[in-house]
Amino acid sequence: MIDHEEPLETQVARQAKIIDALMRRANRQHEVGSSAYGAFQSAIALQAQVWAKTRDLERTTSELRHARDDSERMRKNLADALSAMDGGVALFTGGRLEVCNDIFLRLLPDISGRLQPGLSVENCFAAMAESRHLVTVEGSFDVALAQARRGRVGASVVSLVIELAGDRWYQINLQRTSAENLVLLLTEITPIVRRNRSEKEHLIDRQADYLQAVFENMTSGVCTFSPEGAVTMFNRQFRQLLGLPYTMLQTGTDLQRLLDFVAQHGLIAEAAEHDIAHWLDRLERQGRLRRRVRHATGRMLDLHAHRLPDGGVLLELKDVTLETRATEMLENRVTERTAELTRANEQLREQYEEKARVEEELRVAKERAEAAVSSKTRFLAAASHDLLQPINAAKLLIATLSDAASDTRFAPMVERLGGSFSSIEQLLHSLLDISRLESADRALTPTEVCLGTLMRSVWEDQMPLAQRKGVRLDMVPSMVFVRSDPVYLLRSIQNLVVNAIQYTPEGGRVLAGCRRKGGRVELQVWDTGIGISRKDQKRIFEEFARADNVPLGSGVGLGLSVVDRTCRHLGHKVRVRSKPGIGSVFSIEMEAVSGRPAGVQEGCRQTPAEDYELDHIVLVIENDPDVLYAFTSKLEQWGASVLAARSTEEALGHLRDMGMPPDIVLADYQLDDGDTGDRAIAAIRQASGVHVPAIMITADRSNALLKAGAEQGFSVLTKPVQLSRLRPLIEWKIRWQAPEEAEV
């Protein structure tokens, strides 16, 4: 019933009401009670409650009296503390004046009667502004009050300086002590203001002396005139240069009188009456004037006139006699030199014509060189098919020969032969890649590529090399999609893996995998090879550059150059970390494609099996007889029945003779007489009425052919074909892409 958080007066009043109600209740119970004992018992209980409430009331009254005494004592202490301060102090609580000291009241005695407790801070500032003792205010009372109220608690806002009668100066400091309280401090700064004023006047006097000293020691003659045209300041050089008497050039001399004296005595040859009028008119219009005049003594003077900010004029005279004479001498020498230069010019013209002729010859030679480079580039790009055809045939024949001679004494020789052709193939691929990257019409088309597919393809291609070298090759393909060119990215990964295998000794390990870095993917190739020194790491990406510790006969240094060029064109970042004798880490950082979920990740830890029989009918269309023979031999060695054709017509003839479609078609893209492999595949499907599975084998690495294969339903393998990829691809297409009725 009683809230102890309320003021003590309120608690005492409520207790008195409770006691009164209890007394009335006891009286009523006494009057209407049914038993004298019950009434007596109720009276005793009521009396005990009254005594308890009375003690509480007395204790509360005593606490209230002590609190009032403490409050009065604290208020007196605050007033004494304020009186002891050097400056004026006023404390505002809730926007009302609570207390102020005597210094604050004495500063403005004519309004001290209005500065009473309870006065609002706005009215306090208004009264101060109306005081007769207030001379000036630097700032605004209203603005300072608004800034103080917006400022944070405890922050000072010094924004007002006031001047009182008697040359007294005070600084007003406003400070918030809480959300509701504001303290106003008046600090006297009269000594500081007077000292600054004295120093400023002294500095001005010294500056005037310095200015006069500078004027007197200047090599030029200087004279200033007031806006009314009277001389205000000059130096002796001005009088000496013009040859004026002392009586003529004095402070207060009129400018017009000075000009008349100069004209009458002919001190300046050009100072005729009309010239002076023209000078003054131009000075009035443009604010400045510059003339070179000749003095009567023969000296040459530079005259400079400028308008001053107050409307006056500054005249400057400078003796340029020596400069003028030097100029005249220079002009004479120039005249003499002109004739010499004219003759030299004739010689230079002849030399220039000769130079132009040489430059024209150089331009023609440059165009020829550029044409030769362009021709070389076009030749390499156009001849890639013809260059790769014999390599492809040789690899197929070597593979066939290797299987046939596996258990004979010729097996090591065949293996070395295969390694030699692999080196030729790698070098040829590097040269063609560099040629394509350097050509002006290169077509790098970044698309969404699955890294896992490319990495598994590289693993399948390079596993035989790693096994022959005795190196463990592990690859953890990440089925993440990146934005890159699939052909050149495949070549870059293949070059890094081949290099790692090549420079890792027997028993070593090569590991390839990926790391995610936010929205990017970093493909890394680790090896335990010979390593690369720090100085060689800066140049290994150059053409034909190799590290110092690379053994002879291990390549010509083009693979990393292709990787570097490809990544620069595609916006990828290539890095290398290596330590000699420990190993190397090459990485390619690419942009990941957002919104494409990663596929199922498959490891590459087992060698693909190739011991099954290829019991299928394979139609091979190839215009090169050597390649056709090599393909036929290898496919028959795998157990396939091969129909060899050199053109579309010959393939259709086999189809008519057999009376049924083949299980799969292997076709070269570029055939004779404008015939192409995609037309041959389409013709076979149309003639047989069956959508026969097909693989295009070509040296063309353009993305357009890959796109056509996706649209028409055939796979694309580039030459020289990797047999480790060809055989499982044939089996997969026959097994999972069984022939179906073609659309006619």
Side-chain angles (χ1 to χ4, degrees):
M1 296 178 67
I2 297 176
D3 187 359
H4 297 286
E5 299 296 331
E6 294 181 345
L8 294 177
E9 294 87 347
T10 305
Q11 296 183 32
V12 172
R14 288 192 177 185
Q15 289 177 355
K17 290 182 181 180
I18 293 171
I19 293 171
D20 184 60
L22 292 174
M23 292 294 293
R24 289 198 302 270
R25 178 181 178 185
N27 292 333
R28 286 197 302 271
Q29 290 179 354
H30 179 72
E31 293 173 357
V32 299
S34 60
S35 163
Y37 178 77
F40 177 73
Q41 187 178 15
S42 298
I44 292 174
L46 180 61
Q47 183 64 30
Q49 293 179 0
V50 168
W51 287 346
K53 293 298 180 182
T54 301
R55 288 194 301 270
D56 293 340
L57 179 60
E58 292 175 352
R59 185 171 59 255
T60 302
T61 303
S62 177
E63 292 177 355
L64 179 60
R65 183 171 60 256
H66 287 304
R68 287 177 176 173
D69 293 341
D70 292 342
S71 178
E72 291 297 330
R73 186 167 57 256
M74 291 177 63
R75 184 179 183 87
K76 183 177 182 304
N77 293 337
L78 177 60
D80 294 341
L82 293 179
S83 300
M85 295 184 68
D86 295 336
V89 182
L91 174 63
F92 293 86
T93 303
R96 299 287 177 175
L97 179 61
E98 181 72 22
V99 64
C100 63
N101 62 0
D102 295 339
I103 298 177
F104 186 82
L105 295 175
R106 290 196 303 267
L107 288 178
L108 303 173
D110 56 338
I111 65 168
S112 59
R114 299 168 59 181
L115 303 179
Q116 298 297 326
L119 181 67
S120 66
V121 64
E122 291 84 357
N123 292 334
C124 179
F125 280 148
M128 294 174 65
E130 296 171 0
S131 174
R132 298 189 310 271
H133 296 275
L134 184 65
V135 179
T136 59
V137 179
E138 295 182 5
S140 171
F141 287 121
D142 296 336
V143 174
L145 180 58
Q147 291 178 352
R149 286 175 170 172
R150 289 195 304 268
R152 58 184 178 85
V153 174
S156 297
V157 179
V158 181
S159 56
L160 292 177
V161 175
I162 61 175
E163 179 186 4
L164 303 183
D167 193 25
R168 293 181 300 158
W169 296 81
Y170 283 84
Q171 177 179 284
I172 297 179
N173 186 354
L174 300 176
Q175 183 173 1
R176 288 178 60 196
T177 59
S178 66
E180 301 292 335
N181 297 342
L182 183 69
V183 176
L184 188 149
L185 303 175
L186 279 80
T187 306
E188 185 173 6
I189 58 173
T190 303
I192 298 175
V193 172
R194 292 177 180 176
R195 184 172 62 253
N196 290 342
R197 184 191 302 159
S198 176
E199 292 177 354
K200 181 178 180 181
E201 292 174 354
H202 179 66
L203 182 61
I204 291 175
D205 295 340
R206 293 183 62 185
Q207 286 181 343
D209 295 340
Y210 290 156
L211 183 60
Q212 184 64 41
V214 171
F215 268 31
E216 290 298 334
N217 291 279
M218 289 180 64
T219 57
S220 302
V222 180
C223 183
T224 60
F225 298 86
S226 67
E228 294 77 17
V231 175
T232 57
M233 186 181 296
F234 63 90
N235 61 1
R236 66 175 180 271
Q237 283 81 1
F238 187 82
R239 177 188 291 117
Q240 292 174 358
L241 289 176
L242 279 181
L244 298 174
Y246 285 93
T247 57
M248 179 55 61
L249 186 60
Q250 296 294 331
T251 302
T253 303
D254 185 67
L255 174 62
Q256 189 61 45
R257 179 187 172 192
L258 189 62
L259 293 177
D260 292 342
F261 181 86
V262 172
Q264 291 173 5
H265 292 79
L267 297 181
I268 296 178
E270 295 84 354
E273 184 176 353
H274 63 278
D275 287 335
I276 293 179
H278 174 70
W279 293 355
L280 294 177
D281 179 66
R282 182 169 181 179
L283 178 62
E284 185 68 26
R285 287 185 290 104
Q286 299 184 0
R288 63 182 183 276
L289 174 69
R290 181 172 182 175
R291 285 286 185 274
R292 175 162 291 187
V293 297
R294 184 181 296 275
H295 194 263
T297 58
R299 296 194 305 269
M300 297 298 297
L301 303 177
D302 269 356
L303 171 65
H304 296 263
H306 301 274
R307 280 286 182 186
L308 297 176
D310 62 352
V313 178
L314 171 66
L315 288 182
E316 180 184 3
L317 289 176
K318 185 177 182 181
D319 189 352
V320 292
T321 304
L322 296 178
E323 296 179 10
T324 304
R325 293 176 181 174
T327 302
E328 292 176 353
M329 293 176 60
L330 182 60
E331 290 177 352
N332 293 334
R333 294 186 62 182
V334 167
T335 303
E336 296 174 357
R337 291 285 184 178
T338 301
E340 298 178 2
L341 290 175
T342 302
R343 294 190 297 270
N345 189 36
E346 293 295 333
Q347 298 177 358
L348 288 175
R349 185 179 295 109
E350 295 176 358
Q351 295 177 2
Y352 175 77
E353 293 175 354
E354 178 66 18
K355 180 181 177 182
R357 184 182 63 79
V358 173
E359 288 180 350
E360 179 64 19
E361 293 178 356
L362 291 175
R363 185 187 63 80
V364 173
K366 180 182 177 183
E367 290 179 354
R368 290 175 179 174
E370 290 177 349
V373 172
S374 178
S375 175
K376 179 265 298 182
T377 302
R378 290 194 303 271
F379 167 76
L380 289 176
S384 61
H385 178 268
D386 296 335
L387 291 172
L388 293 175
Q389 282 288 75
I391 299 293
N392 188 40
K395 286 194 65 176
L396 292 171
L397 293 173
I398 290 174
T400 304
L401 184 60
S402 177
D403 292 340
S406 59
D407 297 329
T408 66
R409 61 188 181 87
F410 299 104
M413 186 182 303
V414 174
E415 183 178 354
R416 289 179 177 273
L417 182 61
S420 299
F421 269 93
S422 296
S423 299
I424 295 174
E425 176 190 2
Q426 190 71 18
L427 176 60
L428 181 59
H429 278 303
S430 299
L431 291 173
L432 292 176
D433 288 339
I434 291 177
S435 174
R436 294 188 187 99
L437 291 172
E438 285 182 344
S439 62
D441 56 347
R442 60 175 176 268
L444 290 177
T445 54
T447 58
E448 296 181 2
V449 184
C450 179
L451 269 182
T453 303
L454 299 183
M455 295 174 68
R456 186 170 185 85
S457 175
V458 173
W459 178 80
E460 292 174 351
D461 292 343
Q462 303 307 322
M463 178 55 74
L465 174 62
Q467 291 175 343
R468 290 194 302 268
K469 188 75 181 299
V471 175
R472 176 182 173 184
L473 174 61
D474 292 328
M475 193 168 295
V476 184
S478 176
M479 306 303 287
V480 64
F481 285 84
V482 296
R483 187 158 190 82
S484 183
D485 184 281
V487 176
Y488 283 94
L489 180 58
L490 175 65
R491 293 288 301 160
S492 299
I493 301 174
Q494 188 175 24
N495 286 341
L496 294 181
V497 173
V498 169
N499 274 7
I501 296 173
Q502 184 175 3
Y503 298 119
T504 298
E506 183 178 356
R509 184 186 180 190
V510 175
L511 173 63
C514 297
R515 295 182 185 271
R516 297 296 297 266
K517 290 187 175 181
R520 302 182 68 83
V521 177
E522 186 175 21
L523 185 145
Q524 298 180 342
V525 179
W526 296 66
D527 67 67
T528 59
I530 60 177
I532 307 169
S533 64
R534 185 175 297 275
K535 66 181 183 66
D536 287 334
Q537 292 177 21
K538 300 179 180 179
R539 63 184 187 89
I540 56 174
F541 292 100
E542 301 175 0
E543 295 89 346
F544 305 105
R546 296 163 57 194
D548 293 339
N549 58 343
V550 171
L552 296 176
S554 56
V556 294
L558 288 177
L560 292 180
S561 175
V562 173
V563 174
D564 181 62
R565 289 170 181 261
T566 299
C567 292
R568 277 192 283 110
H569 289 312
L570 292 172
H572 303 337
K573 295 181 179 179
V574 182
R575 301 185 181 91
V576 59
R577 303 193 311 271
S578 184
K579 187 174 182 181
I582 303 298
S584 305
V585 181
F586 286 85
S587 60
I588 301 176
E589 185 177 326
M590 298 158 282
E591 177 186 359
V593 178
S594 58
R596 290 292 298 268
V600 179
Q601 182 167 324
E602 299 179 358
C604 300
R605 297 183 179 275
Q606 296 182 2
T607 305
E610 295 185 359
D611 56 353
Y612 54 84
E613 289 291 330
L614 197 64
D615 189 15
H616 303 293
I617 300 176
V618 182
L619 176 58
V620 180
I621 307 175
E622 171 63 61
N623 61 330
D624 189 298
D626 293 334
V627 177
L628 183 60
Y629 172 77
F631 260 125
T632 301
S633 301
K634 189 60 183 176
L635 290 171
E636 289 177 346
Q637 190 180 58
W638 285 347
S641 299
V642 182
L643 300 175
R646 300 182 60 179
S647 64
T648 302
E649 292 299 328
E650 190 174 346
L652 292 174
H654 286 309
L655 184 64
R656 288 192 296 268
D657 294 342
M658 190 170 53
M660 58 180 294
D663 294 324
I664 192 169
V665 177
L666 307 182
D668 186 15
Y669 179 67
Q670 294 180 353
L671 302 176
D672 294 335
D673 301 328
D675 196 6
T676 59
D678 57 341
R679 296 176 186 173
I681 294 171
I684 292 172
R685 289 173 175 174
Q686 184 177 10
S688 63
V690 176
H691 192 83
V692 181
I695 300 175
M696 184 76 68
I697 301 175
T698 176
D700 190 339
R701 297 171 180 268
S702 65
N703 291 327
L705 189 57
L706 295 174
K707 184 177 179 181
E711 293 174 352
Q712 300 177 24
F714 59 81
S715 300
V716 178
L717 288 180
T718 58
K719 292 182 179 180
V721 66
Q722 299 292 336
L723 297 180
S724 59
R725 297 177 57 191
L726 176 62
R727 184 168 181 174
L729 181 60
I730 293 174
E731 188 68 32
W732 177 81
K733 293 189 72 69
I734 293 176
R735 182 171 300 176
W736 299 107
Q737 295 186 7
E740 56 186 27
E741 295 297 324
E743 298 180 0
V744 181

